[in-house]
Each structure stands twice: as C-alpha cells, then as structure tokens.
Amino acid sequence: MAASLTAEQLEPRLGRLTLIDVRSAGEFAGGHIPGALNIPLDQVQRALPDLRAAAERGELAVVCASGARSQNACSQLAAAGIPALTVVGGTAAWAQGGRPLDRPAGARAVWAMDRQVRLAAGSLVIAGMLIDLALPGARWFSAAIGAGLVFSALSNTCAMGSMLAKLPYNRPRGGTADLDDILATLRR
C-alpha cells in the first residue's frame, strides 16, 4: 500500500508538490483540486519518464475521485521505482472539507467512473436476463459480466472503466490541456 496523506495534509503542501489527478479528462474538467495535472490512469505507463523527473525534483502525490484509482497508480509508480503519495478519500474528501475545486470555463461535470461502471454493468446484466427470455442461454452473458466485476474487485483493475474512459464525454474538451502539454510541464 502506498504512503498516503489526507486532504488536510495536502492543502498546505499544494505549492510544494506535484499533484497528479488520474481521473478521466471529463471527470477532471468537472472539478479538480487547484494545481492538479490530469494524467488519466490508463496513461500512467506512458507518463512514467516524466513522472520520474517530477518525483526527482520533489514530492509526487496522486489523487482520483475517492482513492481506488490513485492507489492503483501509486502501485504502478512504485513498481517503476517512483515514490508517490496517494490522497486518502480523493477529490471527494477535498471538496467535503469545503475546499475549492477548479473547473475550466464551459466544462460540465460527468459522472464519476465508478458510477459509470455500475450503470453499464447493471444495464448489461439486466439486458442479458431479459434477452434470455427469448434466447435461452443469454443469461450466461450476465454471468460473465458478474465474473468480470469479481475479477475487477480482486485485482483492483477495471477493464470496463478503461473502455468507458475512451468514450467522447470522458475525453478532453476545450479548456483542458492535452496529455503532451501536461507531460511537457512535468519535464520543467
């Protein structure tokens, strides 16, 4: 488990550390901790050289909506020999403490990725059960979705979340920096 810090501990250190938000670009645009840089979880491996450079200059902290994705990112960073802290409770804990969130002009909030996964998985399970009424055996599709959710919980990964992150509403919109610009910022 990665070393951690609370929102209260993060606040006075914001100007002295590099804060990486690993949520999708759409989630990030809906509101993020001031000064955070957006590197979605599925792009962490690509960003490793630049994250290593940032960590060599000072502390590196990782945040997501509630803590699961930042913990996953910290595990990837630790495997690459890059020390990083995870923010306990994520952006939700930051906002619950009455702290401000930055939002690009014109950005609209999207559902958190875990909520999108629950909607998609639940819909697919129900669809499989309904289709089974007309096409016997289709319930095994629902069973496969359930097995995928169990695997996701045990491995702390989420293939469905990775796929949903690629949908247009979860991609960057005007007012957010693209990944190449963010990585260039980390190199400075």
Side-chain angles (χ1 to χ4, degrees):
M1 187 163 164
S4 61
L5 71 161
T6 65
E8 293 78 20
Q9 293 167 324
L10 172 64
E11 190 169 23
R13 294 160 84 170
L14 270 183
R16 299 189 315 260
L17 56 68
T18 301
L19 180 62
I20 304 298
D21 190 320
V22 294
R23 295 176 299 154
S24 72
E27 290 175 283
F28 182 80
H32 57 272
I33 297 173
L37 301 172
N38 184 220
I39 300 176
L41 182 59
D42 64 346
Q43 296 296 314
V44 167
Q45 288 296 312
R46 175 181 167 201
L48 285 177
D50 300 306
L51 291 168
R52 182 182 319 281
E56 288 171 356
R57 288 191 305 275
E59 281 187 306
L60 186 65
V62 183
V63 68
C64 64
S66 62
R69 285 178 279 178
S70 63
Q71 190 67 248
N72 185 319
C74 284
S75 294
Q76 291 181 47
L77 293 169
I82 302 169
L85 303 164
T86 186
V87 179
V88 176
T91 305
W94 177 270
Q96 285 172 352
R99 295 172 194 85
L101 294 175
D102 282 352
R103 291 179 176 83
R108 66 178 176 84
V110 299
W111 283 3
M113 189 57 62
D114 64 323
R115 187 174 180 192
Q116 292 180 47
V117 167
R118 290 193 309 266
L119 175 67
S123 298
L124 290 170
V125 167
I126 290 170
M129 297 306 292
L130 291 175
I131 293 169
D132 187 66
L133 297 173
L135 191 66
R139 69 179 172 268
W140 291 107
F141 176 73
S142 297
I145 297 298
L149 291 171
V150 170
F151 176 79
S152 174
L154 294 173
S155 65
N156 200 26
T157 63
C158 187
M160 187 179 290
S162 295
M163 289 187 290
L164 289 171
K166 295 179 185 339
L167 292 175
Y169 57 84
N170 282 322
R171 303 311 297 169
R173 288 188 281 285
T176 59
D178 75 350
L179 186 58
D180 290 329
D181 293 340
I182 292 166
L183 296 179
T185 300
L186 289 174
R187 284 182 221 121
R188 293 185 209 142

